[in-house]
Amino acid sequence: MTRNIIFAGVGGQGILSIATIIGDAATRTGINLKQAEVHGMSQRGGDVQSNMRLSTEKIWSDLIPEGEADIIISMEPMEAMRYLPFLEKEGWIITSTDTFRNIPTYPEDEAVLEELHKIKNLVALPIENIAKENSMPKCANVILLGMASKYISIISRDELRQSIINVFERKGESIVEMNLKAFDLGVELAQ
C-alpha cells in the first residue's frame, strides 16, 4: 500500500506540523517514509509545499510525479488548486475554504471557492472559523488532519492520535488535549 501526499499552505498555518505528526506515526509503525524538502517561504505569509510518500514497500524517490498524488492536504484553497496537476485521477483534496490573501493579485474569494467546488473528490470546510468557534484557534491544522485521516488510511486514526500526543507533549497536557479534541472534531466533520 502506498500514499502520496502533497502538503500545501502558507507559512505560519501549521501545515508542516501535520506532516510531522504523520511522519511520527509512520516511523513508529514501520511504514516506509520519504519526505521532500519543504519548498517556499516558511515564514508567515509565504507559500509552503512538501511531498510525503508513505508505503509498505521500499520508496525510491521523495518527489511525487505529476498525476500521482493520492491526497492534497491544504490549509488554503488557492494553494490546494496550485497542485492540481499532481493529483491522480481519483485523488482527494482536503482543504480549508478560508482564504489567505497574501498576494496583490489574489482572485476574489467567491471565484476561488467556485473553482474549488468543481473538483470531484473534495472535502472542504472553513476550518479557521471552526477552530475559533470551538475555542481552539491555533488547532485549525489538526482539525484538517482529522478531516484527512480517512484518506490517509495507511496509518490508523489511533496511531495519528498517539503521534499528536508525541508531538505536542512537551507543550503540556492542556495543549495535547486541545489538539486531540481538534483531531476528533475534524474526523467528525468529514464524515
Side-chain angles (χ1 to χ4, degrees):
M1 178 179 237
T2 301
R3 279 291 173 266
N4 292 321
I5 304 170
I6 293 177
F7 299 97
V10 174
Q13 290 185 309
I15 197 71
L16 299 179
S17 293
I18 296 172
T20 299
I21 292 165
I22 295 170
D24 178 80
T27 302
R28 281 184 310 94
T29 57
I31 294 170
N32 294 308
L33 160 75
K34 291 252 186 202
Q35 184 171 2
E37 182 176 315
V38 175
H39 297 280
M41 297 176 63
S42 60
Q43 63 202 28
R44 182 166 291 282
D47 66 309
V48 177
Q49 181 271 340
S50 183
N51 291 352
M52 179 181 282
R53 304 187 79 191
L54 304 168
S55 181
T56 54
E57 306 297 322
K58 186 151 179 74
I59 303 169
W60 297 103
S61 173
D62 56 1
L63 296 177
I64 300 170
E66 281 195 25
E68 292 191 24
D70 298 295
I71 312 165
I72 296 172
I73 299 175
S74 182
M75 288 291 294
E76 208 284 333
M78 188 76 153
E79 292 300 323
M81 291 191 302
R82 181 191 305 243
Y83 298 100
L84 279 177
F86 289 89
L87 192 63
E88 68 108 2
K89 193 175 176 181
E90 295 301 316
W92 283 83
I93 292 183
I94 316 300
T95 188
S96 175
T97 57
D98 297 314
T99 59
F100 189 100
R101 303 179 74 73
N102 59 343
I103 55 172
T105 56
Y106 196 101
E108 292 299 317
D109 290 0
E110 296 78 24
V112 171
L113 297 177
E114 184 178 318
E115 284 301 309
L116 183 68
H117 285 288
K118 291 178 182 176
I119 296 164
K120 177 182 163 189
N121 295 329
L122 174 71
V123 178
L125 294 169
I127 59 172
E128 296 281 347
N129 291 332
I130 291 167
K132 288 175 189 165
E133 289 168 6
N134 285 276
S135 302
M136 50 179 76
K138 293 187 177 185
C139 298
N141 59 332
V142 181
I143 293 172
L144 184 66
L145 176 59
M147 290 166 52
S149 64
K150 171 182 177 181
Y151 306 95
I152 295 169
S153 71
I154 194 168
I155 300 170
S156 74
R157 286 181 175 148
D158 287 341
E159 292 297 343
L160 291 170
R161 288 181 104 258
Q162 182 58 52
S163 290
I164 289 168
I165 294 167
N166 294 352
V167 169
F168 292 109
E169 68 185 345
R170 64 179 168 71
K171 294 187 176 189
E173 192 174 327
S174 64
I175 299 297
V176 169
E177 288 305 314
M178 187 180 301
N179 279 282
L180 289 172
K181 283 174 64 175
F183 178 79
D184 293 342
L185 177 60
V187 168
E188 181 183 318
L189 291 169
Q191 292 183 4

